[in-house]
Amino acid sequence: MAAVSVFDTGPDVRIGIDVGGTWIKGAVVNLETGAPAGEVLHLRTPAGGTVDAVADTLERLVGELGAPGTAAGVAIPSIVQNGVARSAANMDDSWLGLDVQACLGARLGIPVTVVNDADAAGMAEARYGAGKDRSGVVLVLTLGTGIGSALIVDGMLVPNFELGHLEVAGYKAESRASAVAREREGLGWDEYTDRLQQYLSHVEFLFSPDLIIVGGGISACSNEYLPRLSLRTPVVPAALQNSAGVVGAALQSAARSEGPLSLAV
């Protein structure tokens, strides 16, 4: 993966695609503003999530976006090393060990860069959102089916930073503190905030971040839990909401073609 720093300006336009367990989202993104240049399209993720089925859906999505020849970034729920998938969360095992970057590039007929989905969201928030113009250590957490995480240090992304898998009180953190865990167990906000407090206190102790940004679908309810937290570190809701992964994927595409890219304007 090309180094990504939050401090240079990238090319003007890239396609950004975010592959999720339920929806595949995509848009043409203006990298000067960080805003989709048009509608963010949503196509249903094919059942089973095999490589061929997802690639077929991406071909359809790119065609509908109407930007022939434009390079694309694709965010996937996987550890990604040099374009190769090293895990397969909510995806078929056919992704494991696959050079996804080469595979999708061949299928789509355009330059493709692949990035971990939480890293994509983190880059977007650091470049355009709640972490804009912040130096130091910025930690972006997405609370959804699991807990995604991205760490940005003085404008540089540390890729594949999987903090959802930390063990806290004998449990994998995301099994108790994710948004889905709250819904599955029917937790009220007080009880859920206690779990989130325990997790964030542990993360704060380990990494001493200067800012924590909380995203994912639950960020829309941030007023229910953020005021109840007690941390040294400022904790703020994500600003880009559902477009963060799309924007970040487009940004990573620019980093691949242009070299080290700054995430700050």
Side-chain angles (χ1 to χ4, degrees), residues 68-181:
T70 303
V74 180
I76 63 174
S78 170
I79 294 169
V80 177
Q81 290 182 309
N82 301 313
V84 176
R86 299 300 185 189
S87 64
N90 300 313
M91 298 194 298
D92 184 76
D93 285 348
S94 58
W95 292 87
L96 286 171
L98 177 70
D99 188 336
V100 180
Q101 201 153 271
C103 174
L104 294 182
R107 286 290 298 268
L108 300 179
I110 55 177
V112 170
T113 304
V114 177
V115 61
N116 170 268
D117 55 356
D119 285 348
M123 288 190 294
E125 285 293 334
R127 179 71 165 83
Y128 306 106
K132 183 179 177 182
D133 297 329
R134 293 294 299 258
S135 59
V137 180
V138 177
L139 177 62
V140 182
L141 299 171
T142 57
L143 305 178
T145 304
I147 297 178
S149 55
L151 188 72
I152 296 153
V153 182
D154 287 331
M156 298 299 297
L157 174 72
V158 180
N160 300 307
F161 207 68
E162 296 284 340
L163 295 187
H165 298 279
L166 283 175
E167 184 177 305
V168 179
Y171 296 91
K172 184 186 292 187
E174 65 182 15
S175 72
R176 288 173 54 80
S178 67
V180 164

Side-chain angles (χ1 to χ4, degrees), residues 26-53:
V28 177
V29 178
N30 181 333
L31 293 182
E32 289 186 354
T33 64
E39 180 185 2
V40 177
L41 301 182
H42 294 67
L43 296 179
R44 181 74 66 173
T45 303
T50 65
V51 174
D52 284 342

Side-chain angles (χ1 to χ4, degrees), residues 149 187 197:
S149 55
L187 302 178
Q197 173 74 49

